[in-house]
Amino acid sequence: MPTQDDVLGYFDTLSNWGRWGDDDELGTLNHITDDVRLAAARAVRHGRSVSCAWEVAVPEEMERSTMACPCAADMPGAENMPTAFHADRRWGFSNERLGMSFHGNTITHLDSPCHLFWDGTMYNGRSHSLVDAATGSAWAAVTAAANGIVTRGVLLDVAGARGVPWLEPGQGVVPEDLEEAERRQGVRVRPGDAVLLRTGYGRFRHESGAASGFKQAGWHASCLPWLHERKVALIGADTPQDVQPSGYDDVLMPVHAVSLVAMGLWLLDNCDLEACTTTAAELGQWDFQLAVAPVRFAGTSGSPVNPIATF
């Protein structure tokens, strides 16, 4: 297992700063080439799609104000609209105003590289000062992925490989677990892939009806060199990624920190992988086309998303 000094060294040894140019904001998404996308399309062999996201609960996770107007002609200000609008008394409408804080351990969301700083610095050596309270981040925001993330996804069911319904909080996933899951499932992670890690926490959350606190299963820092070597474009998990506690006093969230700041590796937090796992086992297929389309929120450090796996 890597020591704390080893993990701190990852900021240098696993760094992708300058790899794709000094102005690069995509980081490891550069591994997703046209050929990788074509290969992802060929992974669609059954035409079945499943969501890898949780429903956003109201009002626990989202503030919501809904307006229902049974007859639009009666809405305030209708008299100032064109005649055809306020004279038609048959149509109505509803709309919403939504508010949420999507970072955390419940909502399925994408982290872009500007989400984390290390010593005041973001991916590719940019200063945290590029993040402004009024306009957001001028560097490596989620809009860098405005064209979407479409690649081959690989689900690694580590809970299944260990023969347990779910990993217990505090249990870390190490490279040997990933390779055992590959062997068991007959699949191998390739450059440009998105790797989705199943700890079984989604099953626990479905059965218990509750999300855990700050202690969880997840990626151990020892997986970072493995992900770098395999040229993985994106990682996701059914937890907020990092095993907690991490085991390192000075690096509380090493997977988040090294991935986003040094590697430019984008993260999918809090996936619900249970339907994806059931479908993969039924079809005997553990790779698929994964599509992630973040909302183009200017200057934001991520976006709530609904990742879709198509088998």
Side-chain angles (χ1 to χ4, degrees):
M1 300 295 283
T3 65
Q4 180 165 276
D5 286 342
D6 293 331
V7 174
L8 290 170
Y10 290 164
F11 285 99
D12 295 321
T13 60
L14 304 183
S15 174
N16 284 321
W17 291 11
R19 180 173 183 171
W20 296 286
D22 292 338
D23 293 327
D24 174 62
E25 300 176 70
L26 285 175
T28 55
L29 297 186
N30 284 288
H31 290 313
I32 305 175
T33 63
D34 292 346
D35 287 341
V36 168
R37 292 188 190 93
L38 288 171
R42 290 191 289 271
V44 179
R45 300 191 281 275
H46 300 273
R48 189 182 305 180
S49 291
V50 296
S51 168
C52 297
W54 289 96
E55 184 173 288
V56 183
V58 180
E60 290 88 353
E61 298 160 348
M62 178 173 64
E63 297 176 4
R64 178 187 184 117
S65 175
T66 297
M67 175 183 178
C69 184
C71 181
D74 295 333
M75 68 178 288
E79 65 276 7
N80 299 319
M81 301 294 289
T83 302
F85 177 89
H86 64 73
D88 186 344
R89 303 196 60 82
R90 301 195 66 180
W91 72 281
F93 65 88
S94 64
N95 65 10
E96 295 81 25
R97 182 178 179 88
L98 309 177
M100 71 181 75
S101 178
F102 56 83
H103 288 300
N105 64 354
T106 54
I107 296 175
T108 306
H109 66 272
L110 180 69
D111 287 348
S112 69
C114 74
H115 177 46
L116 230 66
F117 316 139
W118 186 258
D119 289 336
T121 304
M122 293 185 284
Y123 171 67
N124 230 352
R126 295 311 200 270
S127 169
H128 74 282
S129 63
L130 290 174
V131 180
D132 178 79
T135 59
S137 181
W139 181 255
V142 75
T143 45
N147 292 328
I149 303 170
V150 179
T151 191
R152 177 176 176 258
V154 175
L155 174 63
L156 295 182
D157 182 8
V158 170
R162 290 193 186 181
V164 296
W166 52 74
L167 305 187
E168 295 298 328
Q171 290 186 320
V173 172
V174 297
E176 290 78 8
D177 290 312
L178 306 178
E179 292 176 3
E180 174 59 20
E182 284 185 315
R183 184 199 64 76
R184 180 175 177 266
Q185 297 168 196
V187 70
R188 181 174 174 83
V189 173
R190 304 193 304 238
D193 283 350
V195 180
L196 304 183
L197 169 65
R198 179 179 181 266
T199 70
Y201 175 60
R203 177 176 172 180
F204 171 83
R205 188 171 163 185
H206 278 291
E207 293 184 4
S208 69
S212 67
F214 294 99
K215 188 175 182 181
Q216 68 207 25
W219 300 94
H220 187 272
S222 59
C223 291
L224 290 164
W226 191 93
L227 296 167
H228 184 73
E229 180 182 351
R230 294 291 188 97
K231 299 180 179 179
V232 170
L234 171 74
I235 62 171
D238 52 9
T239 67
Q241 311 291 354
D242 289 77
V243 61
Q244 289 294 320
S246 70
Y248 304 102
D249 292 339
D250 294 339
V251 201
L252 300 182
M253 299 178 68
V255 173
H256 264 75
V258 175
S259 292
L260 293 171
V261 178
M263 300 169 66
L265 175 62
W266 296 55
L267 308 178
L268 271 176
D269 292 355
N270 310 317
C271 295
D272 180 3
L273 299 176
E274 294 310 291
C276 190
T277 302
T278 300
T279 303
E282 176 189 341
L283 300 177
Q285 177 184 336
W286 295 89
D287 65 336
F288 39 82
Q289 183 187 66
L290 183 71
V292 182
V295 181
R296 296 178 69 172
F297 291 130
T300 63
S301 58
S303 169
V305 290
N306 180 19
I308 301 296
T310 304
F311 290 83

